[in-house]
């Protein structure tokens, strides 16, 4: 699909600024450099009232997992634990500094963001383990941060949302710490790439089918699409979603994850999980952050912030 034909002028203009090879992952090292340069070229101004601190959590293998916290002056006792995107092979905690600090400032909550290890250097389950162990650390340290451990939401974008969905499934099954809410923004959850929408997006300026195949292949060490992939790695494969925390699932109409995300929301609903689902017309993968001034992006942010307010009991 040529998504340009279905974009409004605002989205089309912004997308035109991005290089055509932005998300060409045929050379992953080069792609990482491009993405880092892109984010590095954008000035990041954080609210002056938000305090940012880095913490290091011991992983089971001795690795130090970086967790960055964003704290408003007088937090309300609630928190969001955030997992960044990047197709399982790109990105770092710094890419979402502005996003996390803005949420901390607007909702007056603590936000914690985890810097997990990436594939292919560290395939599944290492990224999930990093996020899970850091989440359990954050819950265990909640008193130190002035946070009620029963008022911690879990959120993520794209690959981060997929890891978040896998984390809550595994936590439910193991009886470990669970968040009170899931914020799943265009989650990357199905390694099989069999839905109609997974074939539609080929534009290399946004997350596309070739990039998705590369990301899943790296994460699952080439086993993507086979029978041996478990639901903690690819939550769309889960057959039992009962007992999960309430969720909001948000995705754009022109996102290759559209079908899998709608299906996952429907499956949670059938399992008795309260779910709020939003599909934004004319929005592509990541356009909420790439085109933040667009009407769809503004509504997107309001919907997610409203859902967090309700889930965390935040007023004002």
């Amino acid at each position: 699909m040529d998504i340009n034909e279905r974009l409004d002028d605002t989205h089309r203009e912004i997308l035109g600024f991005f290089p055509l090879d932005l998300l060409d992952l045929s050379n992953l090292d080069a792609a990482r450099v491009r993405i880092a340069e892109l984010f590095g070229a954008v000035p990041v101004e954080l609210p002056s009232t938000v305090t940012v601190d880095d913490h290091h959590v011991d992983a089971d293998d001795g690795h130090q997992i970086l967790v960055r916290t964003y704290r408003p002056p007088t937090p309300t006792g609630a928190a969001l634990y955030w997992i960044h995107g990047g197709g399982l092979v790109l990105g770092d905690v710094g890419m979402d500094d502005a996003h996390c600090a803005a949420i901390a400032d607007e909702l007056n909550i603590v936000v914690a963001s985890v810097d997990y290890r990436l594939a292919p250097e560290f395939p599944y389950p290492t990224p999930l383990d990093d996020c899970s162990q850091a989440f359990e650390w954050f819950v265990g340290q909640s008193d130190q941060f002035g946070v009620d451990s029963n008022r911690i939401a879990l959120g993520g974008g794209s690959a981060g949302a997929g890891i978040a969905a896998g984390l809550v499934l595994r936590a439910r099954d193991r009886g470990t710490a669970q968040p009170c809410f899931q914020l799943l923004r265009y989650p990357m959850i199905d390694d099989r790439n069999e839905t109609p929408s997974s074939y539609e997006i080929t534009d290399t300026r946004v997350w596309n089918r070739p990039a998705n195949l590369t990301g899943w292949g790296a994460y699952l060490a080439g086993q993507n699409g086979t029978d041996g992939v478990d639901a903690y790695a690819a939550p769309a494969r889960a057959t039992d979603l009962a007992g999960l925390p309430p969720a909001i699932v948000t995705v754009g109409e022109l996102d290759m994850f559209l079908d899998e995300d709608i299906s996952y929301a429907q499956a949670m609903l059938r399992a008795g999980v309260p779910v709020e689902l939003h599909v934004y017309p004319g929005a592509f993968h990541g356009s909420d952050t790439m085109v933040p001034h667009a009407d769809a992006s503004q509504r997107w942010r309001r919907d997610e912030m409203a859902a967090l307010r309700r889930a965390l009991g935040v007023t004002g």
Side-chain angles (χ1 to χ4, degrees):
M1 175 200 300
D2 180 1
I3 65 173
N4 281 280
E5 297 176 357
R6 295 171 62 181
L7 296 177
D8 61 30
D9 290 343
T10 302
H11 284 78
R12 187 181 300 109
E13 179 183 7
I14 296 300
L15 188 60
F17 286 114
F18 291 90
L20 291 175
D21 64 348
L22 179 63
L23 284 171
D24 177 0
L25 303 188
S26 58
N27 184 330
L28 185 55
D29 289 338
R32 286 171 170 170
V33 171
R34 283 196 302 273
I35 297 296
E37 290 177 344
L38 176 65
F39 278 94
V42 179
V44 176
E45 295 186 12
L46 306 185
S48 60
T49 55
V50 173
T51 301
V52 181
D53 292 302
D54 286 346
H55 313 266
H56 293 88
V57 180
D58 291 329
D60 288 344
D61 62 2
H63 172 71
Q64 294 275 294
I65 307 167
L66 170 63
V67 177
R68 182 166 293 169
T69 56
Y70 310 78
R71 302 179 66 184
T74 55
T76 59
L80 170 67
Y81 180 87
W82 182 258
I83 306 175
H84 73 77
L88 302 165
V89 296
L90 302 167
D92 58 33
V93 70
M95 67 187 287
D96 285 338
D97 275 342
H99 171 68
C100 291
I103 293 175
D105 184 56
E106 180 176 339
L107 300 187
N108 205 27
I109 64 173
V110 175
V111 177
S113 183
V114 58
D115 197 35
Y116 57 93
R117 285 172 283 182
L118 301 174
E121 294 85 352
F122 298 96
Y124 175 81
T126 298
L128 176 63
D129 288 342
D130 284 352
C131 294
S132 179
Q133 289 168 28
F135 178 71
E136 291 181 23
W137 169 85
F138 183 64
V139 173
Q141 298 293 314
S142 56
D143 286 346
Q144 174 184 321
F145 293 107
V147 169
D148 179 348
S149 61
N150 295 310
R151 296 175 64 202
I152 300 176
L154 174 63
S158 193
I163 293 174
L167 191 161
V168 297
L169 283 168
R170 194 168 73 171
R172 178 201 62 184
D173 294 344
R174 295 184 177 181
T176 53
Q178 274 275 30
C180 67
F181 185 72
Q182 303 175 77
L183 193 166
L184 304 179
R185 180 187 296 166
Y186 34 77
M188 179 180 177
I189 52 175
D190 196 342
D191 67 294
R192 294 164 294 191
N193 287 279
E194 294 174 344
T195 66
S197 67
S198 73
Y199 283 91
E200 290 182 344
I201 308 302
T202 56
D203 193 312
T204 52
R205 297 169 297 179
V206 300
W207 195 251
N208 54 75
R209 183 175 182 81
N212 205 47
L213 291 169
T214 297
W216 278 114
Y219 189 53
L220 298 175
Q223 297 304 301
N224 47 308
T226 67
D227 293 338
V229 177
D230 68 54
Y232 304 149
R237 290 176 175 261
T239 57
D240 177 12
L241 299 176
L244 297 182
I248 180 172
V249 178
T250 59
V251 64
E253 172 197 15
L254 304 179
D255 194 316
M256 67 168 295
F257 296 149
L258 175 66
D259 291 339
E260 64 198 66
D261 292 352
I262 291 175
S263 293
Y264 194 66
Q266 291 174 322
M268 285 193 287
L269 285 167
R270 287 194 296 270
V273 178
V275 178
E276 183 177 341
L277 170 66
H278 293 265
V279 177
Y280 298 93
F284 53 83
H285 190 81
S287 63
D288 57 308
T289 56
M290 295 166 70
V291 198
H293 55 287
D295 178 67
S297 301
Q298 294 289 317
R299 287 189 287 111
W300 196 323
R301 178 174 176 78
R302 289 195 298 269
D303 290 338
E304 290 185 348
M305 292 303 97
L308 281 175
R309 287 183 187 277
R310 291 190 296 270
L312 297 175
V314 174
T315 59

